[in-house]
C-alpha cells in the first residue's frame, strides 16, 4: 500500500474521525515552544484500542509515521511531525475506566486529562497528585515522564504509573505491570514505555497510583536574602526528613513580576513556597519546623496558613507564573528551559544561570521544583529583535551544558522531543546507542514518532 | 577461542582470583531453595569494572556463559549455572565509593551488603532502608528488584536505585541515570536493568537514594480475630494516608511458632506488626490512630512503644521468622513462595492459601509485607517423606495461579530465576516476547545468565 492508500484505508473505518482539514493539520503541527510548524498528513481520532491497533498496523505496512497526541502542551516539539504521517489524537479516548479505592489505583484511557481525573476522583477522597501545571493528558504525561510541583512528595509519572496497555510498532497490544503494587517478574516494561515519548508504543490504557486527599494542608511562603540561602534551607529541609508536599523557588525577578501581575507586595527577593500534607497537628508542626530552618538561613518570617483560600491564592499565583511572565512583556514569546541537577549543586547552577541571563540583557525569570533540584528559566524573546531568539537559544544551551557539568540531566521533566536531541550523546554516552538498539529491535521500520529521542541514521 | 582457552586467558590476568576449586564451584552452584546444584566451570573474583569488562569480552568471544553472584541468597535458583560458564562473584568489589549527604545519595560497588552500607552510613545520620531480611549484596538486590518490610514506606530497589554502571554483553560499559533526582531524558535504562537478574548486564556500580534516620520510631503489634480483619485494618490504614514504615502480617501458625522459638506469649491468632517513622509527636499520633483503626476491626489493644529495645525485640523476631519456622520442624527443608496481589484481594488470597495448606497436611506458616499486598508461605518439607516435595510444589503452583487470577504477580520481590519461568507467559502475555526481543537485541549470543527470565529457544 502507498501512503495515500493508507490514509484512504484509515478513512474507510474511521470516517469523519480521520481528518485532513488544513486547520486540524496546522493545529497538530504546532508546538508550545519555538519550533516551526511540522504538520502531519492526517489526524486520526480513535475511540478504542482496536482502532489504534488497526491504525498502527496499516501505517506500518506502508511505513507511514504514527505520532501520538495528548493535548499538545509538551515544550520540545515532541508531538510534531517532521516526516509527516498520521497523528493519533487521543482526545476521544477520555474515559476513566475503573476507580478502585481499596487499592488506591485507577485505570484510565490516555486522553483523560489530570484535571478531569481529579474531578472524577473527588467523591472518593482520592487524588492523582502529579501536576505539570498545564492540563495535560495522562497519556502525554506518561510519555514525557512528566512531574511538577508535587514530585518531591509523590514522585513523577515514573513512580505513579503502575501498569499500562500499549500498541507496539508491529500492531501488537501488550499489557505491562499487574495490579499488584510491586513485582519482580521480569523486565520493567512499564518503566521502559514511560518517558519513551511515543517512540516505542502508543499507550491506550494506564493504571495509576492514587493517594488520599490529605486531611489537612498547610502552605506558606518566605523570602530569603539570596538563592543560596533559599537552596540551603531546601537541603536542610529534605535532609531532616521533613516531608514537604511542594517546595518551589521563585527568584527575585519572578517576585517582581508577580507583584506587577497580581498586585501582591512580595519583597523583590528569592522566595520559597511550601506545602505540607498530613493531619492538622502534623502540618502545623511541619510548618513550624520549616520556619525554624528558614530562620537559620536568615529568612524573614515564614507566613503560613491552613486556610484553603490562602493556599489557593498562593498556588494559583505559582501556576500562573508562566502567564504572568508572558504578560510582563506583551508581544514577547517564551523559550522555557528545564534542567535538573543534584540538590547540592543547585545554588551554583541557578547562580551561574542568573548571571548569564543578566549579561545577555534578556528578561529570564527562574522558577523551580527545587526539592528535586529541578528548575526552569523562562527566556523572553522580542520578535522584533532579530537577535533575541539566538541569544535565548545560546543561554538555554549553556544552562544544559552546565547541568551536565554538574552531574545533572538535560531535562528534569519536559523531555527530549526535537529540542534536546543534541544533548543525548553527551548525557548518556554509549547508553544512547543502547536506546537506539532497543528502538530498532521494537520498531525496526522506525514508524513510531520517527526523528525523536534515539540516535538517527545519518 | 575455546571455552577452556577462555578460562586460561581469564586466569592469566586474574591469577588466584579465578578459582576452579571444587569447593568454590559447589558453593556457587548451590541455591537457598530446592534446586539441585548447578555449578559453573570457574568463579572469577574481579576487583574493578575493567576486569569485569575483560571477563565478559573474553567469555563473549567463546560464547561462554557469565553469571553474576552477590551473596547467593536469592530463592529461585537465580545465580545457578545450568549451562556452566563463569560465575562473577562480586564479593571483592565491596567499597562504598562516595557518600553525598547533601544529595541523600551514595555510590557503591555491587558487592557491598546492605548491613555493611548501613554501618558505613551511621555517622551521617542517613540510612538505606530496603531490607530483604537476608544480608544480601546491593548488586544482587538491584538485579532481583528486591524489597522487604520497609517497601510500603520507602519503596523497592526500583525506587531506590538512581543510576548505575553496567558491563553489557558486548563488553561495553554504560552508565545509566544521572545524579539528578529525576530526569525525562530518554528511555529509563536504570529501570530496565534493575530486576533483569543479570541477563542484560553486570552491574559494577550503583547510585542509591538514602533517607534520613528518623528522629523517632514507634513500633507495636496487635492480634486480630481473622486474617480478613487484619487485612481490612491494613486497607483502612493505607487509605487514610497513615504513613506506616512497616506493616507486617504473621498468621496464627507463625504466632504459635514464635512462642515456641522465643518463649513469647502471643495469642495464636493473626497479628499485625507495625512501625512508624517521624518526629516524637507524629509517631505517637500515628500509633494512636492505628490503634483506633485496629479497634474498628475488632482487634485487641495495639501495644506500642517508642523504646529501642522493644522495637528491636519485635523486629528481631520478625526477621528470625524464617529460622524460627525451620527450627519448629528440625530436619525439614523449606520451600518459600512469594506472591503479590492487589490489597483488596489479599484477604481472599491468604484465606484460600491457608485452606489449601491445611488440606495438604504440610506445615506452612504465612507472613507478609501486607501494605504492598505481598506475602510468603514457608512450606516445610520432610525429606523422609517422598511426597512432601511434590505436595509443596503443587501448593506453591496453586498460590501463583491464584495470584494471577486475582490480578497480581507471580512474584512480588523474590524474582523469577529458574523457579518461576513457567508463569511468565501467563503473567505477561505478548509482553514476555517483548522481553525476549530486548534480550536478543542486547545479548544476541545469550551470554549473560542464559536460561533465565526470557523465553528460551526450543
Ligand atoms: C505552561 C506550561 C507549564 C508546564 N509545566 C510543566 C511542569 O511543571 N512539569 C512537566 O513535566 N511538564 C510541564 N509542561 C509540559 C507538558 O505539560 C508536559 O510535557 C505534558 O506531559 C505533555 O502532555 P500532553 O498531553 O500535552 O502531551 P503532548 O504534548 O500531546 O505529547 C507529548 C509526547 O507524548 C506523546 N504521546 C502523547 N500521548 C501518547 C500516548 N497515549 N501514547 C504514547 N505517546 C503519547 C506524543 O507523541 C509526544 O511525543 C508544561 C507545559 C506548559 C505549556
Ligand atoms: C531468609 C531469607 C529471607 C529473604 N527475604 C527476602 C525479602 O523479604 N525480600 C526480598 O526481596 N528478598 C528476600 N530474600 C531473597 C534474597 O535475599 C534477595 O533476592 C536478594 O536480592 C538476593 O541478593 P544476593 O546478593 O544474595 O544475590 P544473588 O543470589 O547472589 O544473585 C541474585 C541474582 O542477581 C544476579 N546478580 C548478582 N549480582 C549482580 C550484579 N552485580 N550485576 C548483575 N546481576 C547480578 C545473579 O546473577 C542472580 O541472577 C530472602 C532470602 C532469604 C535467604
Amino acid at each position: 500500500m502507498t501512503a495515500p492508500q493508507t490514509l484512504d484505508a484509515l478513512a474507510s473505518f474511521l470516517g469523519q474521525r480521520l481528518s485532513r482539514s488544513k486547520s486540524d493539520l496546522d493545529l497538530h503541527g504546532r508546538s508550545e515552544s519555538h519550533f516551526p510548524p511540522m504538520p502531519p498528513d492526517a489526524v486520526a481520532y480513535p475511540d478504542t484500542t482496536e482502532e489504534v491497533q488497526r491504525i498502527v498496523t496499516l501505517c506500518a505496512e506502508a511505513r507511514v509515521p504514527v505520532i501520538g497526541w495528548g493535548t499538545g502542551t509538551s515544550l520540545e516539539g515532541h508531538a510534531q511531525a517532521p516526516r509527516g504521517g498520521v497523528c493519533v489524537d487521543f482526545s476521544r479516548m477520555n474515559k476513566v475506566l475503573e476507580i478502585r479505592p481499596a487499592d488506591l489505583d485507577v485505570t484510565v484511557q490516555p486522553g483523560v486529562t489530570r484535571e478531569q481525573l481529579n474531578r472524577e476522583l473527588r467523591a472518593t477522597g482520592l487524588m492523582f497528585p502529579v501536576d505539570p501545571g498545564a492540563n495535560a493528558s495522562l497519556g502525554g504525561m506518561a510519555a514525557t515522564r512528566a512531574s511538577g510541583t508535587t514530585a518531591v512528595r509523590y514522585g513523577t509519572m515514573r513512580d505513579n504509573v503502575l501498569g499500562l496497555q500499549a500498541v507496539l510498532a508491529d500492531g501488537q497490544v501488550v499489557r505491562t505491570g499487574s495490579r499488584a503494587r510491586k513485582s519482580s517478574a521480569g523486565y520493567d516494561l512499564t518503566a521502559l514505555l514511560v518517558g519513551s515519548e511515543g517512540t516505542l508504543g502508543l499507550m491506550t490504557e494506564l493504571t495509576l497510583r492514587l493517594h488520599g486527599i490529605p486531611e489537612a494542608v498547610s502552605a506558606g511562603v518566605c523570602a530569603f536574602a539570596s538563592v543560596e540561602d533559599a537552596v540551603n534551607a531546601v537541603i536542610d529541609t529534605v535532609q531532616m526528613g521533613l516531608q514537604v508536599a511542594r517546595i518551589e523557588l521563585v527568584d527575585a525577578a519572578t517576585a517582581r513580576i508577580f507583584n506587577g501581575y497580581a498586585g501582591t507586595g512580595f519583597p523583590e527577593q528569592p522566595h520559597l513556597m511550601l506545602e505540607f500534607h498530613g493531619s492538622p497537628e502534623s502540618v502545623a508542626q511541619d510548618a513550624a519546623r520549616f520556619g525554624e530552618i528558614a530562620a537559620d538561613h536568615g529568612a524573614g518570617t515564614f507566613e503560613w496558613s491552613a486556610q484553603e483560600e490562602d493556599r489557593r491564592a498562593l498556588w494559583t499565583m505559582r501556576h500562573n507564573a508562566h502567564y504572568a511572565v508572558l504578560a510582563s512583556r506583551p508581544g514577547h514569546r517564551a523559550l522555557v528551559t528545564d534542567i535538573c541537577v543534584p540538590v547540592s549543586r543547585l545554588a551554583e547552577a541557578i547562580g551561574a544561570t542568573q548571571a548569564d541571563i543578566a549579561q545577555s540583557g534578556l528578561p529570564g525569570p527562574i522558577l523551580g521544583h527545587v526539592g528535586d533540584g529541578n528548575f526552569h528559566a523562562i527566556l523572553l524573546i522580542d520578535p522584533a529583535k532579530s537577535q533575541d531568539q539566538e541569544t535565548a537559544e545560546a543561554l538555554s544551551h549553556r544552562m544544559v551544558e552546565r547541568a551536565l557539568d554538574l552531574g545533572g540531566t538535560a531535562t528534569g521533566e519536559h523531555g527530549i522531543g526535537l529540542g534536546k536531541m543534541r544533548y543525548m550523546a553527551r548525557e548518556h554516552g554509549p547508553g544512547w546507542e543502547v536506546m537506539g538498539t532497543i528502538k530498532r529491535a521494537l520498531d525496526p521500520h522506525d514508524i513510531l514518532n520517527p526523528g525523536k529521542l534515539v540516535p538517527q541514521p545519518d
Side-chain angles (χ1 to χ4, degrees), chain A residues 5 7 22 93 193 195 294 302 314 320 330 338 410 440 443 450:
Chain A
Q5 285 172 327
L7 297 191
K22 170 130 186 8
M93 290 180 67
L193 280 154
F302 175 58
L314 184 70
N320 284 332
D338 154 60
R440 281 190 300 279
D443 182 12

Side-chain angles (χ1 to χ4, degrees), chain A residues 213-412:
Chain A
I213 294 176
E215 189 191 345
V217 175
S218 65
V221 60
C222 75
F224 290 82
S226 68
V227 163
E228 208 167 324
D229 287 340
V231 170
N232 285 332
V234 172
I235 293 177
D236 283 2
T237 305
V238 172
Q239 218 164 14
M240 282 184 58
L242 197 61
Q243 281 221 332
V244 289
R246 312 188 200 238
I247 185 163
E248 296 286 306
L249 174 82
V250 299
D251 71 352
T254 310
R256 182 170 48 243
I257 287 172
F258 277 157
N259 291 339
Y261 186 73
T264 44
F266 289 113
E268 288 185 12
Q269 281 172 245
H271 286 71
L272 288 178
M273 299 176 158
L274 286 96
E275 189 166 279
F276 302 97
H277 293 177
S279 66
E281 303 82 21
S282 76
V283 300
Q285 274 161 20
D286 289 343
R289 295 175 83 204
F290 176 75
E292 290 164 23
I293 296 173
D296 285 347
H297 294 281
T301 324
F302 175 58
E303 310 263 8
W304 67 274
S305 164
Q307 298 303 313
E308 186 164 353
E309 314 82 80
D310 299 338
R311 247 168 44 220
R312 203 183 290 273
L314 184 70
W315 296 117
T316 302
M317 202 162 59
R318 170 66 186 86
H319 272 133
N320 284 332
H322 189 78
Y323 305 101
V325 169
L326 282 173
S328 71
R329 298 278 171 135
H332 283 49
R333 286 187 299 110
L335 188 156
V336 183
T337 293
D338 154 60
I339 60 171
C340 192
V341 297
V343 176
S344 62
R345 314 304 294 273
L346 185 59
E348 195 178 339
I350 296 179
T353 303
Q354 284 182 317
D356 202 6
I357 293 173
Q359 203 172 16
S360 77
L362 287 193
I366 286 178
L367 343 96
H369 313 310
V370 284
D372 305 313
N374 184 204
F375 70 96
H376 313 306
I378 309 183
L379 304 169
L380 288 177
I381 297 166
D382 182 347
K385 296 201 189 135
S386 58
Q387 272 301 91
D388 275 14
Q389 175 72 28
E390 210 174 296
T391 307
E393 281 176 25
L395 279 169
S396 159
H397 176 68
R398 287 192 296 274
M399 265 177 83
V400 175
E401 293 284 341
R402 208 175 289 126
L404 297 177
D405 289 343
L406 297 173
T409 174
T411 168

Side-chain angles (χ1 to χ4, degrees), chain A residues 93-230:
Chain A
M93 290 180 67
N94 64 348
K95 276 171 261 332
V96 174
L97 298 174
E98 199 183 348
I99 305 174
R100 304 179 202 85
D103 293 315
L104 299 181
D105 67 28
V106 64
T107 301
V108 300
Q109 289 186 316
V112 172
T113 66
R114 64 170 187 86
E115 288 180 5
Q116 177 196 345
L117 176 59
N118 280 313
R119 265 195 315 275
E120 298 198 27
L121 286 173
R122 200 161 298 154
T124 64
L126 300 172
M127 63 173 186
F128 183 71
V130 183
D131 176 5
N135 187 21
S137 75
L138 291 156
M141 287 167 63
T144 59
R145 206 183 291 124
S147 50
T149 54
T150 60
V152 64
R153 166 79 179 250
Y154 298 100
T156 71
M157 289 303 279
R158 181 188 201 267
D159 310 297
N160 287 286
V161 180
L162 295 171
L164 52 86
Q165 184 191 61
V167 177
L168 304 189
D170 60 2
Q172 267 200 102
V173 179
V174 297
R175 280 191 179 278
T176 72
S178 72
R179 294 215 22 262
R181 263 305 147 114
K182 63 183 192 185
S183 170
S184 286
Y187 303 160
D188 191 342
L189 298 181
T190 307
L192 184 64
L193 280 154
V194 169
S196 66
E197 301 188 357
T199 64
L200 294 179
L202 290 179
M203 297 183 254
T204 49
E205 260 182 50
L206 297 163
T207 296
L208 304 171
R209 182 187 288 260
L210 299 176
H211 301 262
I213 294 176
E215 189 191 345
V217 175
S218 65
V221 60
C222 75
F224 290 82
S226 68
V227 163
E228 208 167 324
D229 287 340

